[in-house]
């Protein structure tokens, strides 16, 4: 997601469910559904989950063993349709192709240089932000994704990290990266001379 889109979402007002109209919206509320699924890692009942398996990969470089990086070996997002509700009402969320950003109900297991993690969406516990498109489906309003807009759900902490990070932060990170590249090439050139 580009910075322009993040700023657009950040500056959107939070819509009340009782006043929804068609179009892209941001809502904050609690979740529920009547048919929970089992999460992949802990087999916990949930509305949906985000799962990753990452392995620490060793690569050989110039005859020496070198630790390289974490590599994702499996990644899944699974979510059933659910409802989000606030003090003004409820609306159904069609969860196909949803993107989940949550640090809530986080589980982590490490085994033999592999780390397995999952984050769960649970009913009636915490509030989440949902960004998606309101449309009519079977004579009711629903929230879903469409060709132009993603369907995103985020816990409050993840929302702050993703959408409220200032433009100055991104500029500072870019500037820091440029400095690191200059230093790297400086030392590389000194070794060659």
């Amino acid at each position: 997601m580009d910075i322009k889109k993040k700023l657009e979402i950040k500056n959107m007002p939070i819509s009340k469910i009782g006043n929804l109209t068609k179009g892209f919206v941001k809502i904050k509320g609690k979740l529920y559904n009547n048919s929970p699924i089992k999460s992949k890692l802990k087999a916990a009942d949930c509305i949906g989950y985000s799962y990753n398996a990452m392995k620490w990969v060793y690569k050989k470089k110039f005859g020496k063993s070198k630790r390289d990086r974490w590599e994702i070996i499996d990644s899944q997002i699974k979510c059933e349709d659910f409802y989000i509700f606030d003090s003004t009402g409820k609306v159904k969320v069609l969860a196909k192709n949803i993107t989940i950003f949550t640090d809530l109900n986080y589980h982590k297991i490490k085994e033999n240089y592999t780390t397995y993690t999952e984050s769960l969406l649970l009913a009636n516990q915490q509030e989440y932000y949902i960004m998606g498109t309101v449309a009519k489906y079977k004579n009711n309003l629903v929230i879903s994704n469409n060709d132009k807009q993603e369907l995103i759900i985020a816990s409050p902490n993840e929302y702050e990290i993703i959408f409220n990070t200032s433009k100055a932060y991104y500029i500072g990170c870019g500037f820091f990266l440029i400095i690191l590249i200059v230093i790297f090439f400086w030392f590389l050139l000194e070794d060659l001379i």
Side-chain angles (χ1 to χ4, degrees), residues 17 20-27 81-84 90-96 130-146 150-151:
I17 292 171
L20 288 180
T21 58
K22 289 183 181 180
F24 192 71
V25 296
K26 175 170 63 176
I27 295 173
D81 294 347
F82 60 92
Y83 289 89
I84 184 167
K90 68 178 182 176
V91 64
K92 187 171 188 174
V93 178
L94 304 179
K96 185 178 179 185
I130 295 209
M131 288 70 65
T133 303
V134 176
K136 276 235 178 200
Y137 179 75
K138 296 182 179 178
N139 293 325
N140 292 310
L141 290 179
V142 296
I143 298 176
S144 63
N145 67 352
N146 65 25
E150 288 182 78
L151 175 61

Side-chain angles (χ1 to χ4, degrees), residues 103-122:
D103 59 344
L104 301 172
N105 308 300
Y106 178 80
H107 302 109
K108 181 177 185 177
I109 297 174
K110 291 183 179 182
E111 293 177 352
N112 301 326
Y113 301 104
T114 304
T115 300
Y116 305 92
T117 61
E118 74 178 5
S119 296
L120 309 178
L121 300 176
L122 298 180

